[in-house]
Amino acid sequence: MSKQIRILFPDQIHQKKLTGGFLRTFNLAKLSSKEFQTYIFGISENEGYKKKLDGISLVQEKKYNNKLEKLKHYSEGLFSENYSLMTSKKAFIDFNPEKTVFQIEGPLAYNLLKKRKINNYVLDEHNVYWEFSEFPNFDFKSRIYNKLASKRDKKLEINALKNATHILACSDRDKQVMIKEVPESEGKITVIPNCVNTEEYGNYLKIENVENSFKVLFVGLLSYQPNTDAVNSICKIIAPKCNENVEFIIAGNNPPAIKNKPKNVKFLGYVEDLKKCISEADICIAPLRYGSGTRFKILEYMAMQKPIISTSKGAEGINYTNNKNIIIEDNIANFIIIIEDLLKDEMRRNQLGKEARKLVKDTYNWQIYKKTLNNIYNEVLNAD
């Protein structure tokens, strides 16, 4: 049997409606797929399947098979110390422990490995998850879950960090937060930031906005609390104060219900060709006040050579130079002035965009981290 990577992704495996989480997981898998036989195991409430994509085996299992299993899952999700967001049988079929590296995407699959007595594993931390309980919650279910389960989830995450053979972090900031809470993790954390494949964006660079109005774009999974907060800032603070010919486009699944939505705000929902959508924008924004990790949306904006306005939190984890390859502004109300000034200055917009693409191409390309990641996997295989 050849060397294998078995990645446990505790959510649906998306091939079309890609989330940022799955984009990271899938691109890490592609980096290892030449040296290792690579699998991603996912779960879904509706659909199970097995497929192959870009040389990677995708195996999706049903989350539960009947109402009793569903009730048990949700009950454990609120109260059990042994809770795992993911259940999987196929991930553990026919593997050689001496030639297989298990990797979990986030801490909520840790108890699944613990139950199977798998001690050597890689933990890929897309965020510092215990920070989620500090975010404002805009829906009743999230508030209830945080109240009942946040302490348990933080304890679970700390145990996952302590016991991991190696940890992947999205940013140096996330790494330092983990070390502060779990000092013994310091020597086993490697920062592999979110990246893009810049060559995929080249054909879109010449597409422009041909409409009469200016387009300001925000992209994100809108059920994610920091993105929901950003949408509220756009609708309540930024858009109402901008000129009527400035249209705010918000692209992403699960758009929130906004009372008194401004007329110059448009929700697109899921967008089939997101690159084209970005290419048509005059300015891209990220007015985020919360969150961790590195934002795919910022990297995609940069790869598309777009002028970007972001908070420092929105651009966290990216080694930017303010006013050279991005404009950083933490006072959300000041986005209005910056947007209006940029729309009057096409040369400035073009210069910011060119510098942004150069930064991504030189620093945030997945291939840069291929050797580092494969070395980590080989070290985990050889761990005692």
Side-chain angles (χ1 to χ4, degrees):
M1 181 181 287
S2 60
K3 295 187 296 182
Q4 294 186 359
I5 307 293
R6 296 194 176 198
I7 300 172
L8 306 184
F9 184 78
D11 203 346
Q12 183 170 331
I13 297 175
H14 300 278
Q15 294 180 60
K16 292 183 178 179
K17 297 184 179 182
L18 297 176
T19 62
F22 186 67
L23 274 173
R24 174 177 174 85
T25 300
F26 189 70
N27 279 289
L28 289 177
K30 284 203 291 187
L31 292 181
S32 66
S33 62
K34 298 295 183 184
E35 187 171 345
F36 295 83
Q37 188 175 348
T38 306
Y39 298 82
I40 301 175
F41 294 88
I43 55 171
S44 170
E45 292 192 18
N46 304 309
E47 181 186 16
Y49 62 74
K50 183 175 181 180
K51 298 180 181 177
K52 205 152 192 173
L53 184 64
D54 291 351
I56 298 162
S57 296
L58 303 177
V59 182
Q60 183 164 282
E61 298 174 69
K62 293 192 72 172
K63 201 169 186 177
Y64 22 71
N65 295 309
N66 52 57
K67 290 183 179 179
L68 185 61
E69 285 187 4
K70 184 174 183 178
L71 179 64
K72 183 176 181 236
H73 176 82
Y74 280 102
S75 176
E76 289 182 347
L78 291 175
F79 304 111
S80 175
E81 294 292 322
N82 296 316
Y83 174 65
S84 174
L85 181 58
M86 181 175 189
T87 57
S88 176
K89 295 179 180 178
K90 293 182 179 179
F92 305 99
I93 293 174
D94 191 27
F95 75 93
N96 182 341
E98 295 181 357
K99 292 189 175 183
T100 304
V101 176
F102 280 90
Q103 177 169 307
I104 53 174
E105 301 302 293
L108 292 183
Y110 166 68
N111 277 328
L112 182 58
L113 292 186
K114 183 180 175 182
K115 181 180 178 181
R116 295 282 181 165
K117 297 182 180 180
I118 292 171
N119 298 317
N120 289 334
Y121 64 92
V122 175
L123 169 63
D124 183 23
E125 284 278 79
H126 296 219
N127 301 276
V128 179
Y129 289 90
W130 67 69
E131 294 184 328
F132 282 8
S133 63
E134 302 166 9
F135 301 160
N137 290 303
F138 296 97
D139 66 272
F140 181 72
K141 283 170 59 178
S142 295
R143 287 197 295 270
I144 292 297
Y145 181 86
N146 277 347
K147 188 172 183 178
L148 293 175
S150 59
K151 288 183 180 179
R152 186 276 315 274
D153 286 355
K154 182 174 181 179
K155 182 180 177 182
L156 195 159
E157 185 167 9
I158 288 170
N159 285 336
L161 288 165
K162 285 180 177 179
N163 294 309
T165 312
H166 206 92
I167 301 158
L168 307 180
C170 283
S171 69
D172 189 64
R173 180 263 178 196
D174 283 9
K175 176 180 178 179
Q176 297 309 317
V177 172
M178 294 175 206
I179 291 170
K180 185 176 180 180
E181 189 74 34
V182 186
E184 60 265 45
S185 67
E186 182 171 7
K188 58 182 182 180
I189 302 178
T190 299
V191 175
I192 297 185
N194 290 331
C195 297
V196 292
N197 298 307
T198 52
E199 63 276 7
E200 294 178 2
Y201 297 83
N203 293 334
Y204 290 82
L205 297 181
K206 295 181 181 180
I207 300 175
E208 297 179 354
N209 177 15
V210 295
E211 298 181 12
N212 292 327
S213 61
F214 290 110
K215 289 186 176 182
V216 179
L217 178 69
F218 175 78
V219 173
L221 178 64
L222 302 182
S223 58
Y224 176 57
Q225 294 165 16
N227 289 342
T228 305
D229 181 72
V231 168
N232 274 273
S233 294
I234 293 169
C235 292
K236 294 178 181 179
I237 300 172
I238 304 171
K241 297 291 181 69
C242 282
N243 292 330
E244 291 181 359
N245 69 331
V246 180
E247 185 177 24
F248 287 82
I249 307 296
I250 299 173
N253 290 335
N254 305 314
I258 301 291
K259 291 183 179 179
N260 302 316
K261 180 178 71 68
K263 292 181 180 180
N264 60 340
V265 173
K266 182 178 181 181
F267 287 96
L268 299 183
Y270 169 69
V271 175
E272 188 74 36
D273 191 346
L274 187 57
K275 294 183 181 69
K276 184 175 183 294
C277 182
I278 296 172
S279 70
E280 293 173 348
D282 297 288
I283 297 171
C284 296
I285 61 173
L288 285 104
R289 300 188 299 159
Y290 312 96
S292 59
T294 308
R295 310 298 181 274
F296 273 110
K297 64 176 68 68
I298 297 285
L299 299 175
E300 287 197 296
Y301 297 162
M302 288 182 162
M304 295 292 289
Q305 208 162 288
K306 293 298 174 179
I308 304 159
I309 309 167
S310 174
T311 57
S312 53
K313 176 58 70 174
E316 197 170 66
I318 298 174
N319 190 24
Y320 60 79
T321 301
N322 191 14
N323 291 311
K324 179 181 179 182
N325 38 43
I326 193 171
I327 296 175
I328 300 297
E329 177 53 66
D330 286 327
N331 186 336
I332 303 295
N334 288 342
F335 272 56
I336 302 160
I337 299 169
I338 299 169
I339 288 170
E340 291 182 346
D341 286 346
L342 275 181
L343 291 177
K344 295 173 186 175
D345 192 344
E346 185 178 3
M347 185 178 295
R348 172 83 167 126
R349 297 200 306 270
N350 289 339
Q351 187 61 31
L352 281 166
K354 287 178 182 178
E355 291 292 340
R357 180 167 168 82
K358 184 177 186 301
L359 174 64
V360 165
K361 195 172 182 179
D362 293 347
T363 311
Y364 296 98
N365 195 316
W366 284 115
Q367 290 301 316
I368 295 171
Y369 297 95
K370 182 176 181 178
K371 183 177 180 180
T372 298
L373 185 64
N374 285 325
N375 284 344
I376 289 168
Y377 289 149
N378 281 306
E379 287 173 10
V380 172
L381 272 183
N382 295 322
D384 295 327

